[in-house]
Every structure is written in C-alpha cells, then in structure tokens.
Amino acid sequence: MKKDKAVVIESPSTNEEEDYEQEDAAATNHSARRFSTRNASSKYDFVKVKVWLGDNADHYYVLSRFLLSRMLTVTKIPNHVAIKIALELKKLLVDNSLLDVSQSDLEANLFKLMERRGFGEEYINRYKMITRFHHMRVPLVILVCGTACVGKSTIATQLAQRLNLPNVLQTAMVYELLRTSTDAPLASSPVWARDFSSSDELITEFCRECRIVRKGLAGDLKKAMKDGKPIIIEGIHLDPSIYLMDEENKLPPASPANQAGPESLKVEEQNELQQKSNSNVRHNSQRDCNMNSEPGKTCELNNLTTALKSLDIVNEISENRGEKVKDSGADQNPSHKREKSGAQPIIVPIVLRMAEFDHKALLEEWVATRTCSEKYPTQDKDNMISNLKTIQDYLCSFTSQGLTVVNISATTFPQTLDWLHNHLLQCIEQGTSHVSRGNSVEIAKD
C-alpha cells in the first residue's frame, strides 16, 4: 500500500556530502573494475523501493538505479554523473524510509537532485520528453547509411548507447543470408566489386539490391512498428529513396484531421491516398526525365521509386494493424488506441560521408585486408573504390529532399556524435508533439 509521505530535499550537511562522495567513489571504482556500470553495486541496491503509478496508485514498479541512470544519459548528462544522481536518489529514499513513493514524488526529488548537480530546466524538459516518448510508444526508425569505412557501425553503436536503444540491425547480415541462400536473388559478388558500363547501371543495380534487403528487414520493421519500439538500422544497402517515399506517403502531420495515425483510415481512403501519391511520384519522375540530357537511363533510375509501393512502411503498419482496428469495433477509447501504438513512425535517415582523401585511404586499406578468396587484382581494386564513390554520391544526392548528411572525421568525431544526439532528440520531440496534438483532437471529437 502506498504511503502518503513525501520528502523535501534540503542542502546536505558536510558529513552527508562526504557520505555521497564515498558512495560515488566506491561505485565508480567498482564500476571500473567490472567494466560495467550495471555491476557498480551499492548497499542501497539491496533495498527495494516501489514506485506507484496512476491516480489511484494501483500499479507499481521497483526502482532500478541502472535504468534511471540510462534515462539520465539520454538527456545528455554524462554517464558518471548520471550514476551519481541515481545513487543519491536511492540513498535519499532509503535513508528516509520512503520505500513506497508515487511517480510524481520520485520525479520531483530527481529534478531537485539534477538541479543541484547543475543540470536544470533544459535537462529536466528532455527527461520529461523522453518519458512521454516511451509512454506513447511512438515507433522510431533511425537509418545510418553510407558506403564502407565511413563509421556506420561505430555511430550506430554509440547512438544506441547514448539514447538507450537496444535494437540495432545490420543490413550486412541480411545481405549475406540472402546472397548465400538457395535461389539467391543477389549476385555472389558485391555490387561495388562488379563491372558496369555506366554509373546509372551501377546505381540501378544498387537500388535493386537495396529493395531486396529491405524485404528481408520487413519482419523486424513490422514488429518494431507494432510494438512501438525504436530501432536503428545501419549498413551499405540502405537506399534513402525507399524511406523518403514512405515519408511522402504518410499523412501530413500538421493537419489535425490526420493525427489519428494510419489505422484510423478506412481501406478505401488508404487506397485513394496511395494512388494519389503514386501519381505524384510518377509525375515528378517524368518531369525530371524531360529536364535531363540522358532521359533513357535516368528515367529508368527515377522510376525505381515508383515501384516501391509494396515496400511502403505505412502500408505495412496499416496491414499489420488492420485486424486490431477491425476487432476493436465501436471502441473509440483514445487511451486504448495509444496503448496499441497508433502513432505514426518517426523515420530519421542519416547519411555519413568522409573527406575524399581520408576515405580513399581507408578504402584502400579495407580492400587490401579482405580475405584471400575475396582479393582482386590492382585494377579491380581501383574499380571497387570508384564504384563505392559513385554509390556515396548517390546517397548524398538526397540532401535537397531533407536528408541529413553528416561529415565524419577522426578529429571531430566526439562533436559529430554530440550533434547527432541533439538532432535525434529534436526529431523525437517533434514526433511526440505531433502525436500529442493528434490525441488531443481525438479526445475533443469524442
């Protein structure tokens, strides 16, 4: 049963400050020995604190210092400081015999501790926004695109750690499974290791392979969309045009009438929307072809996007949730819809690129260190590097359509990572704001 008792944080005495520092030092040293913050144990971890949820306090969860520190890290508080704040909060609650607290009391005390450490309103607002994002279960898809040796895996891993995202998919694994399967739809050698008569032919084949890999990712994406879970996908075989088209086919987020999400549309409305979108894409492709000096090959490349209807994420979400909407019948409870993660997905494609001289040096080293069975003559190595550069130029060509292109350099890598962290937080905030406005419109209609 929840206790109606609250605690007010006061400025600690000198002895209390020393206790905090001793606990901090012990936790930090233990963490360093075990190489994991999860194993940085404290005597306070043996005492359970129940955090009660809801107005009637009929549900609770056990406070986890580790999970709390991870949430604080998402707000851009340094990891070692986040661990200290989480320990201070647990110490405060246990020392005051507050083993049952409400969520609001917990957050009030947490925010005071954050302010005392110098992390004020900006960080508190981020914490509230991230908490709201997880409660709404808004699907988040982060695409880390780029050719070989630009740091895709490193960036994806670092972002997953900073944003506390557990799911990271690599297209290379899907590509290898498809390439080595029976009746494989992919060639035995990578697209960048083959000879092509022109750059357009290379890009056409690259887009075809990207669509095949996209089909291989369909199951994971559907599950992420259904459960409202975030996911990071990184690899070479990520064509931004597929996902940019998905963005175009989504309902305009600024329109209040369209805030309910894909599942609120009837089947006839979805088909009409899809036909209009495809018509617009075909019209734009034809216009671009008429303006181009080589309409034959360029039109073939532009028209690839018009064939992506079967790969549309929004259609997959609608199909995946169709049975849920049908079964719900006349149930129009807005809270029920939010529990089913009816929000439109937040899709954030990012292309990584590197300075030409540095990238070429890394590519040459990468090609030279490939296994013996995959080594190629010198002239083929030059061809591989040229093909990879062509693919990189294609990926960066979507800048005019709003795609984020990030320059990677060893000297500015920490600053680049910080910028990406901020950029993703802004995207999450915009996505949750759209969902909140949509839910408000639904409640007003009811």
Side-chain angles (χ1 to χ4, degrees), residues 126 353 407 427:
R126 285 177 189 162
R353 69 180 175 188
N407 293 312
C427 293

Side-chain angles (χ1 to χ4, degrees), residues 16-30 40-45 65 83-84 87-88 91 95 117:
E16 288 175 340
E17 283 284 5
E18 292 176 355
D19 291 340
Y20 281 143
E21 294 303 325
Q22 290 175 0
E23 287 289 345
D24 293 345
T28 304
N29 293 337
H30 195 87
S41 62
S42 165
K43 65 181 181 180
Y44 293 98
D45 292 333
R65 195 163 59 88
I83 294 173
K84 292 179 180 180
L87 178 59
E88 287 177 7
K91 176 181 173 67
D95 288 349
R117 287 277 184 175

Side-chain angles (χ1 to χ4, degrees), residues 168-433:
V168 179
L169 289 180
Q170 295 180 324
T171 62
M173 298 178 64
V174 178
Y175 176 82
E176 286 300 319
L177 287 173
L178 294 173
R179 185 177 67 86
T180 57
S181 62
T182 307
D183 299 329
L186 300 172
S188 58
S189 59
V191 63
W192 53 85
R194 286 176 257 158
D195 292 327
F196 296 94
S197 59
S198 66
S199 298
D200 287 344
E201 184 181 352
L202 166 62
I203 297 302
T204 300
E205 177 63 15
F206 171 73
C207 293
R208 185 189 73 86
E209 292 192 353
C210 286
R211 295 199 305 275
I212 293 173
V213 171
R214 169 64 181 79
K215 290 181 180 179
L217 296 169
D220 295 288
L221 280 171
K222 281 185 178 180
K223 181 171 177 59
M225 298 296 173
K226 174 184 175 182
D227 298 339
K229 293 182 178 179
I231 188 172
I232 299 179
I233 306 176
E234 65 90 3
I236 297 179
H237 286 88
L238 286 176
D239 181 7
S241 65
I242 299 176
Y243 303 92
L244 287 173
M245 183 177 178
D246 291 332
E247 287 287 333
E248 292 173 2
N249 288 341
K250 287 198 307 182
L251 299 177
S255 176
N258 293 329
Q259 285 300 313
E263 73 277 14
S264 65
L265 294 177
K266 297 180 180 179
V267 175
E268 293 81 8
E269 293 173 339
Q270 292 176 6
N271 292 337
E272 182 181 357
L273 179 65
Q274 182 67 54
Q275 291 173 1
K276 289 181 180 179
S277 177
N278 291 338
S279 176
N280 292 337
V281 173
R282 286 193 294 270
H283 174 74
N284 293 337
S285 298
Q286 186 62 40
R287 182 186 61 188
D288 294 339
C289 290
N290 293 335
M291 297 174 62
N292 198 288
S293 59
E294 296 181 7
K297 294 178 181 177
T298 308
C299 283
E300 182 181 358
L301 175 59
N302 290 338
N303 289 334
L304 283 172
T305 59
T306 65
L308 299 177
K309 181 169 60 176
S310 62
L311 302 178
D312 182 43
I313 287 182
V314 176
N315 282 345
E316 290 179 359
I317 303 170
S318 302
E319 292 170 2
N320 194 40
R321 296 175 180 158
E323 295 182 0
K324 288 186 178 180
V325 176
K326 186 183 296 183
D327 293 341
S328 64
D331 185 5
Q332 299 295 326
N333 186 356
S335 62
H336 176 74
K337 291 182 180 180
R338 286 194 292 273
E339 288 177 0
K340 294 300 182 181
S341 183
Q344 294 180 358
I346 303 172
I347 303 176
V348 187
I350 300 169
V351 173
L352 306 182
R353 69 180 175 188
M354 191 176 291
E356 185 174 354
F357 177 81
D358 295 336
H359 194 200
K360 184 177 180 181
L362 290 174
L363 286 176
E364 289 177 348
E365 182 179 355
W366 175 68
V367 172
T369 55
R370 294 173 69 88
T371 59
C372 297
S373 60
E374 294 180 333
K375 284 189 176 180
Y376 303 92
T378 304
Q379 61 271 21
D380 289 344
K381 293 180 181 179
D382 295 337
N383 183 54
M384 287 177 63
I385 294 175
S386 176
N387 287 345
L388 287 169
K389 185 179 184 305
T390 301
I391 294 174
Q392 184 72 48
D393 293 339
Y394 167 75
L395 295 176
C396 294
S397 67
F398 292 92
T399 308
S400 59
Q401 300 184 38
L403 189 72
T404 302
V405 178
V406 181
N407 293 312
I408 300 296
S409 172
T411 56
T412 60
F413 186 82
Q415 293 83 350
T416 301
L417 199 57
D418 283 337
W419 185 90
L420 283 171
H421 192 163
N422 276 328
H423 174 66
L424 292 173
L425 288 176
Q426 291 174 3
C427 293
I428 292 173
E429 184 175 11
Q430 292 173 2
T432 53
S433 297

Side-chain angles (χ1 to χ4, degrees), residues 2-99:
K2 179 180 175 295
K3 296 181 180 180
D4 295 325
K5 183 178 179 182
V7 61
V8 178
I9 297 180
E10 299 178 354
S11 299
S13 63
T14 305
N15 293 334
E16 288 175 340
E17 283 284 5
E18 292 176 355
D19 291 340
Y20 281 143
E21 294 303 325
Q22 290 175 0
E23 287 289 345
D24 293 345
T28 304
N29 293 337
H30 195 87
S31 176
R33 289 196 300 269
R34 295 300 186 93
F35 302 99
S36 172
T37 58
R38 184 187 290 272
N39 293 326
S41 62
S42 165
K43 65 181 181 180
Y44 293 98
D45 292 333
F46 294 96
V47 182
K48 291 184 179 180
V49 175
K50 295 180 181 179
V51 183
W52 294 85
L53 303 172
D55 296 333
N56 299 323
D58 48 0
H59 297 284
Y60 75 88
Y61 66 90
V62 177
L63 178 63
S64 168
R65 195 163 59 88
F66 171 77
L67 295 179
L68 178 60
S69 66
R70 296 301 302 142
M71 279 289 291
L72 294 174
T73 304
V74 177
T75 67
K76 301 199 68 179
I77 294 178
N79 187 49
H80 69 283
V81 179
I83 294 173
K84 292 179 180 180
I85 293 175
L87 178 59
E88 287 177 7
L89 180 62
K90 187 70 176 288
K91 176 181 173 67
L92 177 69
L93 297 175
V94 174
D95 288 349
N96 288 273
S97 300
L98 290 172
L99 304 184

Side-chain angles (χ1 to χ4, degrees), residues 110-139:
L110 173 63
F111 297 156
K112 289 181 181 179
L113 286 171
M114 291 170 62
E115 289 176 340
R116 199 179 71 183
R117 287 277 184 175
F119 301 97
E121 184 177 359
E122 179 183 0
Y123 294 86
I124 292 173
N125 289 336
R126 285 177 189 162
Y127 182 92
K128 292 179 179 178
M129 181 268 294
I130 292 297
T131 302
R132 196 164 56 247
F133 165 71
H134 287 297
H135 286 174
M136 290 178 175
R137 297 175 64 183
V138 181

